Amino acid sequence: MTTRGRFAPSPSGRMHLGNAWTALMAWLSARSQGGAVVLRMEDLDPERSKEHFARAILQDLAWLGLDWDEGPDKGGPYGPYRQDERREYYQRCLELLEARGLVYPCWCTRAELRDAALAAKAGSAPGTGHECGTPCVAHADVVRAPHAGEAEPVYAGTCLNLSVSEREARQAQGRRPSLRLAVPALHIEFTDLALGPQTQDLAAHCGDFVLRRADGTHAYQLAVVADDAAQAITEVVRGADLLDSTARQIHLFRAFGWPEPAFAHVPLLLDPDGRRLSKRRGDVDLGLLRESGVSAQAITGYLAWKAGLLDAPRLVSPHELIDGFSFAPMPRGPVVVGPGWMEEVA
Ligand code: GLU
């Protein structure tokens, strides 16, 4: 089977070195297997996604020397390649699960979810008998790719246990619920191409997760699986901040009866203070680097060196790295990008 890899950027900002790193590794892995590269724009979040960022991302990827066989700018057999244009398809997928009784409405507010998660952390049993009595909020955090620190708290199952009359009472108030998948007590095992064998306890680590927000937006977990399946993706290479999502996604692939792709989670690039790189730091913003005259080959060389693909940073194009690409020399833990990183560049 031909490898089909993908980049799935969210157009909520300009690209920084961390996004370039992930895109480069996804591209190298697919190309080193003679595979196709699919570019999918994950612009599902109406508040954060901006068209000018989507355009800039395409330009920045091309400037880096990466190319793709299918994408929003060039079409392809598995389009559309923008999530914004695939909402009806996500709804049909959701309805497949609903028809099997796997989905239930949840009226919990964000404050209640936070309190329940805190209570669970403190060791008291949250959930049973807890009232979802206050107005619903759009669970804005769940539609986003849940980066480290922004993850959805494990749900206590509160609304799963509502009686019919309790559900009707909430419905009668006219509040729109979010929709959650009821997850069984299961361990999901998979072998990550970069990190090796992984086990995640679905119920304990993820809980019943949101498939559609109260405002009607389909959640990242549902959309990404629906798209990877429909676009025949065989390999997902992405940042280690999304490792936590993988059990949920594998569970969804299996629940739908779709073949699951292989996964590789590449280390995060961090600031010296341990935070994820942010475009607020000017010296890692791809647009600013480009404008200040830094060459794409110098950036690629630095990233390839950090990935263990080069012994020392040098000017190199992505194409020169295809031969012999492997995840094996890549560090397992995060990679710190210090303020002087540019001096290490050729
Ligand atoms: N859109 C996500 C992001 O930009 C990536 C999702 C994925 O690769 O599964 O972080």
Side-chain angles (χ1 to χ4, degrees):
M1 188 172 49
T2 319
T3 299
R4 287 175 58 81
R6 47 74 158 179
F7 331 126
S10 301
S12 55
R14 287 294 299 255
M15 282 184 73
H16 58 65
L17 209 56
N19 310 124
W21 159 263
T22 315
L24 176 65
M25 297 309 146
W27 185 91
L28 283 173
S29 184
R31 291 296 192 227
S32 67
Q33 299 167 70
V37 174
V38 175
L39 175 54
R40 182 173 72 231
M41 206 43 82
E42 297 205 328
D43 54 356
L44 206 50
D45 186 333
E47 289 147 37
R48 293 174 85 192
S49 303
K50 301 279 178 275
E51 184 52 38
H52 65 277
F53 289 139
R55 277 197 303 274
I57 288 170
L58 297 189
Q59 284 166 6
D60 288 344
L61 288 168
W63 174 72
L64 280 170
L66 304 180
D67 60 354
W68 46 97
D69 305 289
E70 300 162 34
D73 55 335
K74 44 172 41 170
Y78 299 96
Y81 294 90
R82 299 170 55 131
Q83 290 192 324
D84 184 41
E85 295 170 28
R86 302 175 64 81
R87 293 176 197 269
E88 282 173 25
Y89 164 65
Y90 305 140
Q91 185 55 30
R92 289 199 302 276
C93 294
L94 177 64
E95 286 165 12
L96 292 175
L97 299 174
E98 276 183 310
R100 288 163 51 199
L102 298 174
V103 177
Y104 66 92
C106 169
W107 285 270
C108 291
T109 63
R110 195 183 303 177
E112 287 165 340
L113 295 173
R114 199 185 44 231
D115 291 351
L118 287 175
K121 236 188 205 160
S124 59
T128 43
H130 173 86
E131 290 295 319
C132 299
T134 45
C136 263
V137 290
H139 297 160
D141 45 343
V142 300
V143 73
R144 295 172 191 157
H147 297 298
E150 295 176 359
E152 214 182 326
V154 174
Y155 185 55
T158 313
C159 288
L160 178 65
N161 301 318
L162 294 177
S163 66
V164 173
S165 61
E166 285 171 324
R167 278 192 189 175
E168 282 171 359
R170 282 159 184 75
Q171 258 152 14
Q173 289 171 6
R175 298 176 359 222
R176 286 193 69 181
S178 61
L179 297 177
R180 288 185 184 270
L181 182 75
V183 303
L186 262 187
H187 279 82
I188 301 280
E189 293 180 5
F190 62 99
T191 300
D192 191 281
L193 299 174
L195 298 174
Q198 305 289 315
T199 304
Q200 292 175 4
D201 179 335
L202 200 57
H205 293 143
C206 312
D208 295 349
F209 57 91
V210 173
L211 297 176
R212 198 181 71 193
R213 304 191 321 197
D215 70 358
T217 305
H218 299 95
Y220 158 72
Q221 307 291 359
L222 174 69
V224 79
V225 167
D227 286 346
D228 284 339
Q231 294 174 338
I233 300 301
T234 63
E235 185 178 275
V236 170
V237 179
R238 60 188 178 190
D241 52 338
L242 288 164
L243 180 63
D244 277 357
S245 290
T246 306
R248 274 170 276 188
Q249 294 175 13
I250 290 177
H251 177 63
L252 276 174
F253 279 109
R254 293 178 186 171
F256 282 116
W258 296 332
E260 62 216 45
F263 290 91
H265 291 87
V266 299
L268 291 184
L269 301 194
L270 300 183
D271 281 334
D273 65 4
R275 287 193 223 181
R276 276 191 306 139
L277 288 193
S278 124
K279 56 191 176 297
R280 282 188 298 278
R281 204 179 119 184
D283 71 333
V284 297
D285 178 300
L286 231 54
L288 292 179
L289 287 168
R290 181 174 164 182
E291 281 153 27
S292 67
V294 176
S295 78
Q297 296 205 342
I299 292 172
T300 304
Y302 175 80
L303 295 175
W305 171 54
K306 289 290 176 185
L309 301 173
L310 296 177
D311 294 335
R314 64 176 168 85
L315 295 180
V316 71
S317 74
H319 278 92
E320 292 170 73
L321 298 164
I322 293 175
D323 262 0
F325 171 79
S326 160
F327 291 109
M330 196 173 278
R332 297 265 167 128
V335 173
V336 174
V337 179
W341 77 273
M342 283 293 301
E343 285 140 37
E344 298 176 281
V345 162

